[in-house]
Amino acid sequence: FGLDSRSRDTLCVLREEYKSLCKKSQEQAAKEKDSTINQQLQELDQQITGSSLGLEHFMREMGLVYEMLKNQDNHNEEEKWIVKKLPPIAADLMLDGFPLELIDGDVSNIPLQWVTDVLKTVEDRIGRETRVFVLTVLGVQSTGKSTLLNTMFGLQFPVSSGRCTRGAFMQLIKITGDLQTELGCGYIMVIDTEGLKAPELSNIDGSYEHDNELATLVIGLSDLTLVNMAMENSTEMKDVLQIVVHAFIRMREVGKRPVCYFVHQNVSDVSAHDQNIACRKQLLEQ
């Protein structure tokens, strides 16, 4: 589609300009504060956010158009065609390996009708007897969740320093050969989520509710949840465990028994498991 390459060229110029302004701001900080530089930095930050254009943005617009037309009573011929054709188009893109946005991260909204109809179309295409195994990753922001999924499954969720997933995206992986028989499923649906404990939400009232709701949603949808940890930080584990346990309590109320694994990244010492027995014991006692 060429969207990523176009966005990349534009973002490189903006980030270089942002970098030079930050350096200039640091040099002037020792002398005197210049409010114009801070204003320019804020404007550049907005431009960088607005210049990140990808297929997911067009898919989001498709979903919004579909939801709007679906809620209308009277349709002309063109609107009937749009309502009929949009879910199959999105379903074909999912089967071709493109991710579909499950949660709009900008407004924390789930286009329920759109997602439901797209997944029903996918179900019709792959056959209702085909089992889909759902795997989700959770973790604190910027701990390498998307990188983990890309490494495990060969996906292409966007990753870069300072770029964080917003909302949640789901992607289908087809299982072939003997692995299909061994796993007992025809497809794996991988859900990549935004990070918990986001710094930009820390000053907003109810941010902990946002994290609890996100964790409850994705754990409720999943057959297996990977809780991603950076290094072996017991404090981080405590924060994430509180969120995950809250979601597990809710799952117990509806009779669901989810499976959860903890993944520690960037732990080089082979004896890390034995060395951290005391920290884990203290954490479980709390």
Side-chain angles (χ1 to χ4, degrees):
F1 284 64
L3 292 174
D4 288 337
S5 60
R6 286 177 178 242
S7 296
R8 197 176 298 115
D9 294 339
T10 305
L11 289 171
C12 284
V13 176
L14 291 174
R15 281 171 179 159
E16 283 298 323
E17 188 176 349
Y18 191 91
K19 184 179 178 181
S20 62
L21 275 176
C22 283
K23 187 176 181 181
K24 186 177 178 181
S25 175
Q26 290 174 356
E27 291 173 354
Q28 291 188 353
K31 302 176 182 178
E32 56 181 6
K33 293 184 178 180
D34 191 351
S35 59
T36 58
I37 292 181
N38 290 331
Q39 185 176 355
Q40 290 175 354
L41 287 172
Q42 291 178 0
E43 291 175 356
L44 273 175
D45 195 22
Q46 293 177 356
Q47 289 182 32
I48 290 172
T49 304
S51 299
S52 180
L53 180 65
L55 182 63
E56 65 271 14
H57 296 93
F58 292 94
M59 296 279 283
R60 180 187 296 177
E61 293 300 318
M62 287 171 57
L64 292 174
V65 170
Y66 182 81
E67 292 257 323
M68 180 191 68
L69 293 177
K70 194 74 173 177
N71 291 326
Q72 291 181 358
D73 295 329
N74 299 321
H75 300 114
N76 56 36
E77 291 301 320
E78 183 180 1
E79 291 173 345
K80 289 180 181 178
W81 183 89
I82 292 175
V83 171
K84 182 180 179 182
K85 291 294 184 181
L86 283 185
I89 291 173
D92 289 338
L93 287 171
M94 278 198 75
L95 292 172
D96 287 338
F98 289 95
L100 178 69
E101 188 175 54
L102 174 62
I103 303 174
D104 184 347
D106 292 331
V107 293
S108 296
N109 172 58
I110 301 176
L112 196 57
Q113 187 67 51
W114 165 247
V115 172
T116 301
D117 290 348
V118 171
L119 292 181
K120 282 183 178 179
T121 307
V122 170
E123 184 184 45
D124 293 338
R125 298 284 170 86
I126 66 177
R128 297 195 173 185
E129 69 283 354
T130 304
R131 182 171 179 263
V132 178
F133 185 87
V134 183
L135 182 145
T136 304
V137 63
L138 273 176
V140 176
Q141 190 181 86
S142 298
T143 53
K145 296 181 296 300
S146 300
T147 304
L148 175 67
L149 294 178
N150 291 347
T151 304
M152 289 178 64
F153 299 104
L155 306 179
Q156 293 184 348
F157 286 117
V159 293
S160 65
S161 179
R163 179 174 181 177
C164 299
T165 304
R166 297 292 301 275
F169 291 85
M170 50 187 177
Q171 187 167 346
L172 275 176
I173 305 171
K174 187 174 182 179
I175 307 299
T176 57
D178 296 337
L179 193 59
Q180 184 174 358
T181 305
E182 183 179 345
L183 296 177
C185 61
Y187 287 84
I188 294 178
M189 178 176 285
V190 178
I191 301 179
D192 185 22
T193 63
E194 69 177 58
L196 305 174
K197 314 290 289 186
E200 60 268 21
L201 297 177
S202 59
N203 295 326
I204 301 176
D205 293 337
S207 61
Y208 67 94
E209 293 182 359
H210 172 271
D211 290 343
N212 288 335
E213 289 170 356
L214 176 65
T216 302
L217 173 66
V218 296
I219 290 177
L221 292 174
S222 306
D223 296 303
L224 172 64
T225 303
L226 297 177
V227 180
N228 188 51
M229 297 287 184
M231 305 298 288
E232 14 179 332
N233 191 340
S234 59
T235 304
E236 179 186 312
M237 284 184 64
K238 182 178 179 181
D239 292 339
V240 177
L241 268 177
Q242 289 177 347
I243 298 172
V244 173
V245 168
H246 184 273
F248 270 52
I249 292 173
R250 288 188 170 186
M251 292 302 103
R252 187 174 62 180
E253 292 179 358
V254 297
K256 184 176 174 63
R257 300 176 65 87
V259 180
C260 180
Y261 287 98
F262 286 83
V263 178
H264 293 269
Q265 286 201 60
N266 304 321
V267 181
S268 56
D269 191 356
V270 294
S271 63
H273 181 272
D274 297 331
Q275 297 292 336
N276 286 279
I277 290 178
C279 290
R280 288 199 304 273
K281 183 175 181 296
Q282 183 180 4
L283 185 65
L284 291 172
E285 288 175 353
Q286 291 176 353

